Amino acid sequence: MSSRMSRRSLLASAAGLALAAGPLASVARAAAKTPKVLVIGLDGTLLNRVKDADAPNLDALMAAGLTAPSSIYANPFAPTLSGPGWSTLITGVWPDKHNVKDNTFTGQKFAQYPDFLTRIETAKPSLSTYAVSSWAPLTDTVFSSKVDTRVSTPSAEYDTGTTSRAVAQLRDANPDAVFVQLDNVDHAGHSYGAASQQYLDAVHGVDTQVGQMVAAVKSRATYASEDWLIMVTADHGHTDAGGHGGSSWPERQTFMIATGPTLTAGAVRYDVKMPDIAASALAHLGIAIDPAWGLDGRPVQQPAPDDFDALRPQLATRVDETGIGAAVIGFTHTPPSGWSVDNSAMGTGGVTEWRGWSFTTDEFWTKAQADQNREGNIRARNVFAVADGDEWADKAFSGSFDSALVSPPYPVTAGAPATLTYTTYYRHEAPQKGEVLVSYDGAAPVTVKTYTADTSSRVEKVTLQVPSGARTARVRFRYTGGNNWYWVIDDVSIKPA
Ligand SMILES: [Zn+2]
């Protein structure tokens, strides 16, 4: 087909749409606003301390948009340091892909998993990209030379210089995507601890700088015809006494505060993860995310909750666990609508929270016992299912852990292949076993996948050969073992292959 032909037919169909549908035409007008992105990274900033601090500009962003508390990994997956943290936010993949495990960046795979500004330059070279950072490794190493402008602020100027450069760019130039990193909250955390007044004062200081950048955006002569997605985030948290790198819950903290036309004012969400920053920026600029890129991030503008996430309001506080704070939610044994748990072969006794499959959160589950690799469960989101023989066996029990998580019947096409997709994480010790079985129209389940070795956090895709005549498929995730380790399941679906 000639390009002239295709252009003509496109014009014809566009004209037909405009004539046929008034509402579509108004959508088209709204979409005609120029999309732009501003990402502001506040090194080592804790969301709960933002709430404690005098931070009117961040408070205003939260009131106008989305607040999403989130958490990251710990060793041995990766330490809670700036190198892995910023690399994750900026590339949209977790450290097992970008391979930054410390602040030396040795072994980084930025050629395979580039920063989001580089992806923008590759997809839409005419767009203007700008990065400025108080911490030079970001603009020297993480962002590539494909970015139009990269500025590492001289250390004598620190966050003041970073802010003034960002403000000048946002106010006087015409950038499409801007990344800014401010460092002083982390500095205060190291010097005085996150529990200190100095840390709150530093939050107040960067809040003022955030306000200057937001004001610069709003002062643009073309602001009314622009569509800004503004995201504020952090690379890791801090301990009360000061410091990070370890596995404690405060060190593993991050967040996204975001304002944009598709985000609901005052919304709070628990499904947002660190790589979503890059994915959201790309999506906002109309760049289609190619599955071949292997991004772990999802656009925050396109929430995709799974069945387990609906359980969050009914999660309860601890029963037998002692390491989890009394106020922390939570867990439930009650599955979501359509799901069931078969505990007919399950042993008795043990720790109540983990008797058979449970539905829980990263906070509750990792606080059950730190430093046993549960922190590496980075691809599960919000509420997920866990079978944890290790924690169950921490109280007197008899029998073995034998529990099956059973899905609703998914519609399938007889005789056609289908894809079973789920997010998983499995830590092994014999005689433990994880089995995935599928039953068509209630027939005897057949095993389609078995876990008997450590399996890092991943999205699994299993091709199913749907028998002729079959109309539905149910999945069973059966964990058998005892005082061994655990298995995580999240985000299950069966769709045509
Ligand atoms: Zn630090």
Side-chain angles (χ1 to χ4, degrees):
M1 192 187 348
S2 77
S3 60
R4 181 178 296 179
M5 285 279 288
S6 64
R7 194 178 304 126
R8 188 179 297 151
S9 64
L10 274 173
L11 283 171
S13 58
L17 274 175
L19 285 172
L24 271 181
S26 66
V27 167
R29 263 201 308 279
K33 282 192 174 189
T34 308
K36 291 180 181 283
V37 173
L38 169 60
V39 177
I40 304 173
L42 306 178
D43 207 297
T45 298
L46 287 161
L47 180 62
N48 63 342
R49 297 301 274 164
V50 170
K51 291 174 178 174
D52 293 339
D54 175 17
N57 296 291
L58 290 164
D59 288 346
L61 288 173
M62 286 189 270
L66 167 71
T67 305
S70 193
S71 53
I72 57 171
Y73 41 76
N75 273 329
F77 184 79
T80 49
L81 294 175
S82 284
W86 289 123
S87 298
T88 299
L89 293 160
I90 290 168
T91 62
V93 300
W94 291 107
D96 52 354
K97 291 182 183 170
H98 63 61
N99 209 38
V100 175
K101 301 294 177 75
D102 54 31
N103 289 348
T104 70
F105 298 88
T106 304
Q108 51 85 358
K109 294 183 178 172
F110 295 141
Q112 186 178 354
Y113 299 103
D115 65 275
F116 73 95
L117 296 181
T118 292
R119 288 208 185 273
I120 292 167
E121 290 293 344
T122 303
K124 299 192 174 186
S126 64
L127 295 189
S128 172
T129 55
Y130 181 92
V132 60
S133 180
S134 292
W135 195 52
L138 299 187
T139 28
D140 292 350
T141 303
V142 182
F143 288 104
S144 87
S145 58
K146 280 191 135 190
V147 177
D148 289 324
T149 309
R150 297 177 298 166
V151 182
S152 302
T153 306
S155 53
E157 298 180 30
Y158 204 44
D159 287 353
T160 305
T162 301
T163 303
S164 62
R165 283 172 176 80
V167 164
Q169 180 71 204
L170 292 163
R171 186 188 56 212
D172 305 330
N174 195 26
D176 297 291
V178 174
F179 176 89
V180 186
Q181 182 263 359
L182 300 177
D183 200 63
N184 193 45
V185 175
D186 186 61
H187 182 74
H190 284 291
S191 298
Y192 306 104
S196 67
Q197 182 59 43
Q198 290 92 333
Y199 185 92
L200 291 182
D201 293 345
V203 171
H204 176 71
V206 298
D207 177 82
T208 301
Q209 292 164 330
V210 168
Q212 290 165 358
M213 289 185 252
V214 172
V217 166
K218 292 183 175 172
S219 75
R220 294 172 55 76
T222 46
Y223 180 68
S225 64
E226 295 170 353
D227 176 13
W228 281 85
L229 172 64
I230 299 176
M231 292 181 278
V232 184
T233 187
D235 56 335
H236 54 70
H238 254 280
T239 63
D240 277 0
H244 58 90
S247 62
S248 72
W249 184 246
E251 291 166 271
R252 295 179 52 223
Q253 292 308 288
T254 180
F255 62 88
M256 184 198 288
I257 295 171
T259 59
T262 61
L263 299 166
T264 309
V268 177
R269 278 168 48 186
Y270 298 94
D271 62 320
V272 175
K273 300 297 261 184
M274 211 173 205
D276 297 356
I277 296 282
S280 303
L282 295 169
H284 186 71
L285 295 175
I287 295 166
I289 294 171
D290 185 341
W293 297 347
L295 293 196
D296 293 313
R298 290 181 189 166
V300 71
Q301 313 90 318
Q302 300 162 24
D306 76 344
D307 291 353
F308 304 154
D309 296 347
L311 297 174
R312 180 168 278 270
Q314 66 197 67
L315 299 182
T317 53
R318 72 185 191 192
V319 178
D320 292 332
E321 282 286 359
T322 53
I324 306 168
V328 176
I329 61 118
F331 83 103
T332 181
H333 288 298
T334 306
S337 175
W339 289 78
S340 60
V341 173
D342 180 354
N343 280 339
S344 56
M346 181 72 201
T348 57
V351 173
T352 299
E353 286 87 335
W354 316 111
R355 187 183 300 137
W357 281 94
S358 301
F359 305 91
T360 188
T361 67
D362 187 39
E363 179 177 16
F364 192 86
W365 189 47
T366 59
K367 282 183 172 177
Q369 182 69 61
D371 298 316
Q372 293 181 340
N373 297 16
R374 290 181 183 83
E375 298 86 355
N377 177 39
I378 34 83
R379 290 184 175 87
R381 291 175 182 249
N382 201 352
V383 179
F384 52 85
V386 64
D388 191 332
D390 175 68
E391 280 299 295
W392 173 67
D394 283 352
K395 188 178 171 185
F397 66 95
S398 63
S400 63
F401 196 120
D402 186 341
S403 180
L405 170 65
V406 185
S407 81
Y410 294 100
V412 290
T413 304
T419 304
L420 164 63
T421 306
Y422 53 93
T423 302
T424 198
Y425 181 51
Y426 179 88
R427 187 173 184 195
H428 184 70
E429 182 189 60
Q432 184 187 313
K433 186 162 72 167
E435 286 173 280
V436 184
L437 306 101
V438 174
S439 164
Y440 298 99
D441 296 342
V446 283
T447 302
V448 298
K449 182 97 181 167
T450 303
Y451 294 90
T452 52
D454 288 349
T455 304
S456 59
S457 176
R458 67 184 61 187
V459 176
E460 296 278 26
K461 290 188 183 292
V462 180
T463 301
L464 306 177
Q465 299 302 331
V466 180
S468 61
R471 297 169 64 176
T472 64
R474 258 184 214 275
V475 195
R476 298 173 69 87
F477 299 94
R478 182 185 179 203
Y479 171 111
T480 51
N483 186 10
N484 307 123
W485 290 116
Y486 45 74
W487 192 17
V488 173
I489 295 293
D490 199 24
D491 204 12
V492 181
S493 68
I494 293 181
K495 289 175 179 158

